[in-house]
Amino acid sequence: MRRLHAQAVRDSVTLVRRVTPDALSRPTPCSAWALSDLLAHMTAQHRGFAAAALGQGQDLAHWAVHPVGEDVVAHYGDAAEKVIAAFATVDTPDRAFTLPEFTAAKTFPAARAIGFHLIDYVVHSWDVARTLDLAYEPGPALLQAALPIARAVPDGDSRLAPGSAFRPGLATDDHTSTLEKILAALGRSPDWRSPLSSGADDAGTARGAAPHDPTC
């Protein structure tokens, strides 16, 4: 799981390296966020999960989201390597992670927490790729590991609540790719395209963006 997690995170780093200053204002599949907001969130989550792996997750300062600056790519890469290094210190799948953004009422076993972070970065890599109109093709082993994690995320009315990270799951069929099944399970339309890309329709709206546009 840690090896696949590192792959997911480093895939995201590869994509973020393609970000240019003029791209930071681009809309993303996360309806409330421009790319700068998404990258700020992704960077903060790396730092928060790294702290959790080191037994410091209860400190909300580690989870704070800061606006990105001109060195966003370097800061993102640094945070990504920190979470990979922190997860490498986990000596048992039962090590307790404190994840206050989920709940302060209990802790989570390391194996589950690492799975949370893995699925987030498979999906966020897709978010970044679509925002930049780039290809994203995770390896088959990573996709096979990510699919059951995505399907285990509770679905239902709670996903309609304001601020929910995911919208209700979408239907798939036998011809749907594994990545598309992961996206659909978490309410993301695989057909989403930036309104700034050639995949947008004549009205300038992103295909597939509503009503399944997640707030992330």
Side-chain angles (χ1 to χ4, degrees):
M1 180 67 77
R2 285 186 297 194
R3 177 181 60 82
L4 292 170
H5 164 267
Q7 179 183 335
V9 171
R10 288 183 173 134
D11 283 348
S12 76
V13 172
T14 297
L15 289 163
V16 171
R17 285 177 180 151
R18 302 283 298 275
V19 172
T20 57
D22 62 308
L24 292 173
S25 61
R26 291 177 68 99
T28 73
C30 304
S31 60
W33 290 348
L35 182 57
S36 60
D37 303 309
L38 176 59
L39 295 178
H41 163 79
M42 292 167 65
T43 303
Q45 289 291 297
H46 286 326
R47 297 192 186 282
F49 271 84
L54 299 173
Q56 302 163 8
Q58 70 277 6
D59 184 349
L60 293 178
H62 293 299
W63 302 87
V65 178
H66 302 288
V68 300
E70 294 181 359
D71 48 1
V72 55
V73 174
H75 279 175
Y76 182 79
D78 178 68
E81 289 303 320
K82 278 185 168 57
V83 74
I84 291 170
F87 282 6
T89 70
V90 176
D91 53 2
T92 169
D94 297 324
R95 182 191 287 190
F97 275 46
T98 301
L99 304 175
E101 292 202 338
F102 288 76
T103 177
K106 64 177 183 178
T107 60
F108 297 86
R112 189 176 181 196
I114 292 171
F116 290 160
H117 199 255
L118 180 153
I119 193 62
D120 233 17
Y121 285 83
V122 170
V123 174
H124 282 327
S125 291
W126 178 85
D127 291 333
V128 173
R130 277 298 159 92
T131 299
L132 299 176
D133 206 17
L134 298 173
Y136 172 53
E137 299 176 353
L142 176 55
L143 290 174
Q144 290 301 320
L147 181 58
I149 299 172
R151 286 177 166 169
V153 176
D155 203 347
D157 291 345
S158 63
R159 293 198 188 182
L160 296 172
S164 174
F166 307 116
R167 288 292 181 253
L170 308 178
T172 60
D173 58 35
D174 293 340
H175 302 292
T176 306
S177 72
T178 305
L179 176 58
E180 290 172 338
K181 288 176 182 177
I182 292 167
L183 298 170
L186 299 176
R188 278 168 164 79
S189 171
D191 291 332
W192 192 92
R193 295 291 187 280
S194 169
L196 304 179
S197 77
S198 58
D201 62 26
D202 291 340
T205 57
R207 292 191 292 114
H212 306 294
D213 209 7
T215 56
C216 298

